[in-house]
Amino acid sequence: MDTNTTMTRRRGGRSSVVAQREGERIPRLTTLKYGIKPVEAVSEVQLERIHQASLAILREIGIEFRDETALREWREAGADVDGQRVRLEADMVMSLIAKAPSRFEMTSRDPAQRFEIAPDTMTFGAMQGAPNVRDLQGVRRASTIADLRDMNRLTQMLPGFHIAGGFTCEPTDVAVPWRHLHINHSSLVETDMPFFGLTTGKDRADDSIAMGRIVHGKAFMDANAVMIGHVSGNSPLVWDSTMLEGLRAFVDANQVVLLSPFVLGAANTPADVPATIAQLNAEALAALAYTQLTAPGAKMIYGQYSVSVSMRSGAPMSGMPEVTLINAVIGQLARRYGLPWRTTASQSSAKTFDAQSGYESAIAYMSGASACANLMMHAGGWDEAGLVCCMAKFVADAEQNLLIAKYAKGISFEHFDDALEAVRRIGPGGHYLGDAFTLRRFKEAFISPEILDYLSYEQWKVKGSKDMAQRCREKARVIIDNHKAPGMDPATREELDAFVTKRQEQISPSLA
């Protein structure tokens, strides 16, 4: 056999293997149970000191609830209410929080895609809230409804996400009073996943719930959680009416709420890590307790967004060691309270998809995973301190989610004895590449990323010398072009479209 024939067969064999791999659809992540032990940054004595400091803040300083309904409910419950300031005793706070479920299930239109959020599980959600995108040409610009639809198509097709972001990027070409309608519409049409609804006021929250009910059915949503409402606090020590209205709408509909103080270390908290945690925790405890006051047994997540602030520019800084420590302690506190908790997985302040973007996001990922965070928020696309959703990075992060999930599962001893038998078979000086155990196990034993490049330099040049951003943009284009919208009953789609049209007519054009 001549050399050319041999090389042709080798190339053909390699091509067929590559084609087979590309044709294999990786199943979407479901419930991920932690198999690693969480990092603990403080001792039990130190944790207790922070916990007691948080309770002292609630008792002595109090929290402002800028919402008449909440003030009335706190007053009726026996809290000390002075104007908008609510002071809470420790027993009341902890007894209310004890009413919350420690674990609950999220569901989707695909009955096979159910997963649990709990203190021992990991969940990935896409980025939220970016007013700009870095598009498939690498250009930074204001995001549009077309971009949001593409981001949801990517979320649906990439297996590394549990929850669609909802407002992954803001459709800035849609008027603000109508924007939430189109955000929800895209989540429900382009994906069949659980998703984030809108909580910025009662009307938007009610519309989110109503649109969910059109697609899922009211009876189904009364019994199942399909949506999360992201409720953000105003640090220091304020929860406002807009967010609390959204909170009540979601828990009244048996949907999940995520309560997140917004921490800019040294700007809206003290310039001290443990004191920052104590304040953040007080803010979170107040909102968590209020959720159970207004709806005992409501499904909720202890949230927090934490970054430090540059003393040079005033800008938020991602991937900093202080934030890693804050994550670890928040994890310790949430486990103490028996609640699932959230962190930010892939945050970066980089202006391009560059080394800074990768370094900062890698630190954020490992910070959350090592602290055993239960909801890894913004796990896809985050750059420029959240002002940009990068489509290329979104694809890269989706793959990182799979790698982090493998790490979080820990080490399995299921095949340990069989593997040791392979050691006996091979013996000194041999290799395992052709061993029967290797052939059975190599796909599952060691993960093989697609986006990260492990070719030789010569192979890389032959394939076009493409950097990671270019490879990711090309993959994103292929995914978007091949997206197939999940099935929806035509009558349901018609009703959903009609709801959006009707609500736009009802909302005053002058407001839009």
Side-chain angles (χ1 to χ4, degrees):
M1 183 179 295
D2 62 47
T3 302
N4 289 336
T5 302
T6 301
M7 292 302 295
T8 300
R9 289 188 175 179
R10 286 178 179 172
R11 283 195 295 268
R14 184 180 296 114
S15 298
S16 65
V17 170
V18 171
Q20 180 182 354
R21 286 177 180 172
E22 290 179 348
E24 294 175 352
R25 179 75 186 273
I26 300 173
R28 183 179 302 286
L29 294 174
T30 55
T31 299
L32 295 172
K33 287 286 185 76
Y34 274 103
I36 59 173
K37 293 184 178 180
V39 168
E40 296 189 346
V42 296
S43 68
E44 286 297 322
V45 171
Q46 292 168 327
L47 191 71
E48 179 66 16
R49 187 176 178 186
I50 291 172
H51 169 69
Q52 292 300 330
S54 298
L55 296 178
I57 290 171
L58 293 177
R59 182 177 63 251
E60 298 168 11
I61 302 170
I63 303 283
E64 284 200 4
F65 281 81
R66 297 177 180 174
D67 176 79
E68 290 303 317
T69 300
L71 293 171
R72 174 180 54 78
E73 290 175 328
W74 278 125
R75 194 177 294 111
E76 290 173 354
D80 178 3
V81 179
D82 181 10
Q84 294 183 325
R85 187 76 62 89
V86 179
R87 293 178 174 83
L88 299 168
E89 294 295 331
D91 288 348
M92 176 184 287
V93 171
M94 300 315 296
S95 64
L96 284 169
I97 290 174
K99 299 177 185 294
S102 63
R103 56 200 324 119
F104 51 84
E105 190 177 64
M106 297 293 298
T107 63
S108 77
R109 284 159 54 199
D110 180 354
Q113 296 302 321
R114 292 172 174 258
F115 57 88
E116 193 175 39
I117 296 180
D120 61 351
T121 69
M122 168 186 272
T123 308
F124 292 102
M127 184 187 174
Q128 296 180 349
N132 303 289
V133 294
R134 193 177 302 120
D135 64 21
L136 295 183
Q137 288 71 48
V139 176
R140 181 193 189 276
R141 56 174 175 76
S143 50
T144 66
I145 186 62
D147 295 320
L148 178 62
R149 291 184 180 123
D150 280 346
M151 296 311 305
N152 277 324
R153 289 165 181 147
L154 287 171
T155 306
Q156 173 72 16
M157 298 294 286
L158 291 164
F161 297 101
H162 293 88
I163 303 173
F167 43 108
T168 300
C169 59
E170 289 282 345
T172 60
D173 55 340
V174 178
V176 171
W178 299 339
R179 191 173 293 174
H180 66 288
L181 300 169
H182 295 271
I183 290 171
N184 288 320
H185 185 275
S186 180
S187 295
L188 289 162
V189 170
E190 264 80 48
T191 86
D192 60 4
M193 304 165 65
F195 67 101
F196 280 84
L198 281 295
T199 56
T200 49
K202 184 178 187 303
D203 289 345
R204 291 173 187 170
D206 285 345
D207 284 343
S208 297
I209 298 298
M211 294 175 74
R213 285 172 172 166
I214 289 171
V215 172
H216 291 277
K218 182 179 184 302
F220 186 84
M221 284 181 60
D222 285 347
N224 296 277
V226 303
M227 303 168 65
I228 298 179
H230 192 175
V231 180
S232 295
N234 292 334
S235 299
L237 307 176
V238 173
W239 290 92
D240 67 32
S241 180
T242 298
M243 285 287 152
L244 294 174
E245 288 176 356
L247 182 158
R248 287 190 291 268
F250 268 68
V251 297
D252 286 348
N254 189 40
Q255 300 308 296
V256 181
V257 287
L258 165 64
L259 296 314
S260 290
F262 188 90
V263 165
L264 302 172
N268 60 11
T269 68
D272 178 78
V273 169
T276 289
I277 297 169
Q279 178 191 304
L280 183 166
N281 190 49
E283 294 166 347
L285 289 175
L288 293 163
Y290 175 68
T291 300
Q292 296 306 312
L293 176 68
T294 196
K299 304 175 182 72
M300 63 184 191
I301 301 169
Y302 181 134
Q304 51 95 22
Y305 172 76
S306 302
V307 291
S308 51
V309 172
S310 169
M311 294 295 105
R312 295 178 180 176
S313 66
M317 300 187 297
S318 304
M320 294 297 105
E322 295 84 3
V323 176
T324 298
L325 292 168
I326 290 171
N327 267 335
V329 179
I330 295 301
Q332 289 180 256
L333 288 165
R335 286 187 290 276
R336 175 193 176 116
Y337 306 139
L339 297 174
W341 68 285
R342 159 259 161 133
T343 191
T344 301
S346 179
Q347 57 182 325
S348 169
S349 299
K351 311 310 177 289
T352 64
F353 184 21
D354 59 7
Q356 179 179 341
S357 178
Y359 280 134
E360 290 179 334
S361 291
I363 291 169
Y365 265 117
M366 289 305 295
S367 166
S370 297
C372 291
N374 310 120
L375 174 55
M376 301 281 273
M377 284 280 292
H378 305 301
W382 177 295
D383 264 338
E384 207 177 312
L387 294 177
V388 166
C389 182
C390 175
M391 291 187 172
K393 186 177 182 182
F394 194 89
V395 171
D397 286 342
E399 183 170 270
Q400 287 298 302
N401 294 349
L402 301 178
L403 304 185
I404 292 292
K406 185 74 179 290
Y407 164 71
K409 288 179 181 178
I411 296 173
S412 168
F413 283 81
E414 181 181 356
H415 304 282
F416 186 55
D417 292 337
D418 287 344
L420 290 179
E421 286 300 317
V423 176
R424 294 184 177 92
R425 278 195 304 275
I426 301 303
H431 69 78
Y432 294 83
L433 295 177
D435 184 72
F437 181 79
T438 303
L439 295 176
R440 288 198 310 272
R441 289 282 302 138
F442 75 95
K443 286 185 179 180
E444 292 79 22
F446 295 95
I447 198 165
S448 182
E450 176 188 345
I451 291 298
L452 300 178
D453 183 88
Y454 299 101
L455 299 174
S456 69
Y457 179 76
E458 291 75 18
Q459 290 171 319
W460 176 73
K461 283 191 69 176
V462 168
K463 291 177 74 73
S465 305
K466 298 173 184 177
D467 65 14
M468 187 167 180
Q470 184 177 354
R471 296 195 303 273
C472 289
R473 287 195 294 268
E474 290 177 358
K475 182 175 175 65
R477 171 49 62 198
V478 170
I479 293 171
I480 291 168
D481 288 347
N482 288 279
H483 170 265
K484 292 182 175 60
M488 182 181 291
D489 179 73
T492 299
R493 175 63 185 270
E494 184 178 347
E495 184 180 357
L496 185 67
D497 294 349
F499 180 90
V500 172
T501 301
K502 179 180 178 182
R503 287 293 292 135
Q504 284 198 175
E505 292 170 351
Q506 291 172 340
I507 297 172
S508 171
S510 63
L511 295 176

